[in-house]
Amino acid sequence: MNLKPLQDRILVQRVEEETKTKGGIIIPDTAKEKPAEGKIVAVGIGKLDKDGNRIALEVKVGDRVLFGKYSGTEVKIEGEEYLIMREDDVLGIIE
């Protein structure tokens, strides 16, 4: 894939949730919500502050992150679905 996000934007691929509950009940596709967890695939170089200095991103490629339910813009690249969002939309990094 040849997509490089600009400034403080990141490219995230959603992580699929389990299709079964802990009790063994299978959740149908129509009842599932889109996961708010993903893996960072690409990051921008950071944005500029008011003095023209580059502010580096805190996240990096490979991080698993949590983001808001309506965060980002959905895009389809080479048949795969991704989200492009600003680093500010990331709620936290899962370690």
Side-chain angles (χ1 to χ4, degrees), residues 16 18-19 38 43 47 58 62 87 92:
E16 291 299 319
E18 292 290 323
T19 57
V43 297
K47 64 179 173 180
E58 293 185 42
E87 184 186 34

Side-chain angles (χ1 to χ4, degrees), residues 13-46:
Q13 185 173 29
R14 289 186 194 266
V15 175
E16 291 299 319
E17 291 183 343
E18 292 290 323
T19 57
K20 272 189 187 179
T21 64
K22 290 180 182 179
I25 299 170
I26 297 174
I27 303 169
D29 289 339
T30 55
K32 284 196 273 185
E33 288 188 18
K34 290 188 176 181
E37 181 180 328
K39 181 178 176 184
I40 297 180
V41 178
V43 297
I45 58 174

Side-chain angles (χ1 to χ4, degrees), residues 41-80:
V41 178
V43 297
I45 58 174
K47 64 179 173 180
L48 298 174
D49 65 8
K50 63 182 178 180
D51 297 324
N53 299 319
R54 181 92 39 208
I55 301 171
L57 299 176
E58 293 185 42
V59 296
K60 61 187 179 305
V61 173
D63 283 350
R64 287 180 64 120
V65 294
L66 290 176
F67 48 86
K69 187 174 185 177
Y70 300 106
S71 298
T73 302
E74 293 183 0
V75 294
K76 200 169 205 176
I77 304 168
E78 297 176 0
E80 295 283 330

Side-chain angles (χ1 to χ4, degrees), residues 1-12:
M1 172 182 45
N2 295 329
L3 179 68
K4 176 85 171 152
L6 299 176
Q7 296 183 356
D8 66 334
R9 289 181 178 85
I10 59 175
L11 185 67
V12 177

